Amino acid sequence: ICGFYNDYQGILSVGERDLRSIDFEHWRLGVGLVGQQPVLFRGTIRDNITLSEWDGDSTEAEEAARKAHAHEFISSLPRGYDTMISDEGALSIGQKQRIAIARVIYRDPWLYLFDEATSGLDATTEGFVQEFVASLRGTKTVVIVTHRHSNVQEADNVYVLEQGRIAEQGRFQDLRQLPQLGRETSASSIVIR
């Protein structure tokens, strides 16, 4: 979906166009990805949220961090948003995920891709992120890849994958009776809101 690979089988359609026929640079401008192991860059936390835009807006960066439930921990750091991130920084996976989520929120793409993006978050923080995702309903497309059923309960469509193939699809409440949805660690779910 990110457009990194185009040697897959089948067709990924976007508005009835094969994704492979869409200009990669143009496509990536509208896609925001947060993965399970987020990548942070050398620089300040603010730089990591704004991706070092010369005209990066501090107010907008802080607002994005609030929506990602990251502002509180960032503000508690001795240098706040000006804290430098190094290769071996002392941030937890959950804190890194929240900074990566803030980066995507700051960019305001039309397509949000969350690939196990809340796996390092505690239940309370995950709930705040879910509230933000719910606020995007009707304005953005959100794709969530997860093993946690709590992330997909309000989704418009849930696709349950088993060994790379769609085993079931529908709304969560219609699928919960399926045996493979009985455990959090069962088949992966891809959700489209």
Side-chain angles (χ1 to χ4, degrees):
I1 294 176
C2 288
F4 295 136
Y5 307 101
N6 62 10
D7 60 347
Y8 52 86
Q9 293 180 356
I11 296 175
L12 208 85
S13 295
V14 180
E16 298 187 19
R17 285 184 63 194
D18 186 331
L19 179 60
R20 290 174 277 221
S21 71
I22 298 173
D23 176 66
F24 175 75
E25 295 299 323
H26 177 73
W27 176 255
R28 284 292 296 143
L29 289 174
V31 177
L33 170 67
V34 180
Q36 184 173 6
Q37 298 292 327
V39 175
L40 298 183
F41 307 99
R42 283 191 174 178
T44 66
I45 289 176
R46 183 180 336 282
D47 290 341
N48 269 273
I49 294 172
T50 65
L51 290 177
S52 299
E53 288 181 0
W54 289 107
D55 60 347
D57 187 312
S58 291
T59 304
E60 289 180 17
E62 289 181 23
E63 181 60 27
R66 287 181 199 282
K67 290 177 180 176
H69 202 63
H71 178 75
E72 187 174 304
F73 92 78
I74 294 170
S75 296
S76 72
L77 297 171
R79 299 199 61 212
Y81 285 83
D82 294 320
T83 299
M84 293 297 291
I85 295 176
S86 64
D87 291 337
E88 298 299 322
L91 297 176
S92 71
I93 291 293
Q95 290 169 329
K96 290 176 182 179
Q97 283 180 323
R98 286 183 275 169
I99 291 170
I101 292 169
R103 176 190 303 150
V104 170
I105 293 169
Y106 179 84
R107 286 189 52 231
D108 191 31
W110 67 269
L111 174 60
Y112 286 75
L113 299 173
F114 294 111
D115 185 1
E116 297 286 0
T118 61
S119 63
L121 304 182
D122 61 70
T124 302
T125 305
E126 183 179 30
F128 286 117
V129 172
Q130 288 171 353
E131 286 176 18
F132 168 73
V133 169
S135 76
L136 298 173
R137 185 178 295 271
T139 62
K140 307 287 182 176
T141 299
V142 180
V143 176
I144 301 169
V145 178
T146 186
H147 288 84
R148 292 185 181 179
H149 301 151
S150 58
N151 286 327
V152 300
Q153 292 179 9
E154 300 300 319
D156 295 330
N157 297 294
V158 177
Y159 297 87
V160 179
L161 301 179
E162 288 183 353
Q163 299 181 2
R165 300 204 184 280
I166 297 173
E168 297 291 336
Q169 70 183 63
R171 294 191 51 87
F172 179 80
Q173 57 269 31
D174 298 330
L175 299 177
R176 2 178 234 190
Q177 302 305 317
L178 296 172
Q180 65 265 33
L181 288 177
R183 295 176 294 141
E184 289 291 329
T185 56
S186 65
S188 295
S189 301
I190 294 184
V191 181
I192 301 175
R193 288 182 178 245

